[in-house]
Amino acid sequence: SSLHSLQRGKETWQAKPDGRIYSNLIADASGNVYYGDTSEVGESHVHSLDAAGRVRWTYSVGRMPVHQVTLDSRGGLLVSAS
């Protein structure tokens, strides 16, 4: 898997996730991207990339695949994993 950021049909950055992405991807007003992935050994994480595609942080959710990520009205990240 790989992530690609495109603007007007041109790639601005590319990132390689740690595992397979099963969740949606979302971006906040600052251009930060959030998504969940699951590694080959079954470990799942939620990741945040900045607007340039660099890793901001990673959070482990254990062995529960991440299905959906969304932002609440105050910009908090909500994660659905099961």
Side-chain angles (χ1 to χ4, degrees), residues 22-72:
Y22 294 104
S23 77
N24 60 320
L25 285 84
I26 59 169
D28 64 19
S30 299
N32 299 310
V33 176
Y34 306 89
Y35 67 94
D37 68 8
T38 302
S39 71
E40 290 182 17
V41 296
E43 293 292 326
S44 296
H45 299 90
V46 176
H47 302 275
S48 176
L49 307 178
D50 68 14
R54 295 179 299 252
V55 175
R56 294 177 61 222
W57 52 259
T58 297
Y59 178 79
S60 174
V61 294
R63 295 191 165 274
M64 299 179 293
V66 176
H67 298 290
Q68 186 169 2
V69 293
T70 192
L71 294 170
D72 67 19

Side-chain angles (χ1 to χ4, degrees), residues 1-17:
S1 295
S2 63
L3 301 173
H4 301 266
S5 173
L6 306 173
Q7 295 211 357
R8 297 183 185 93
K10 298 196 185 230
E11 185 172 84
T12 56
W13 56 260
Q14 181 179 15
K16 180 129 177 81

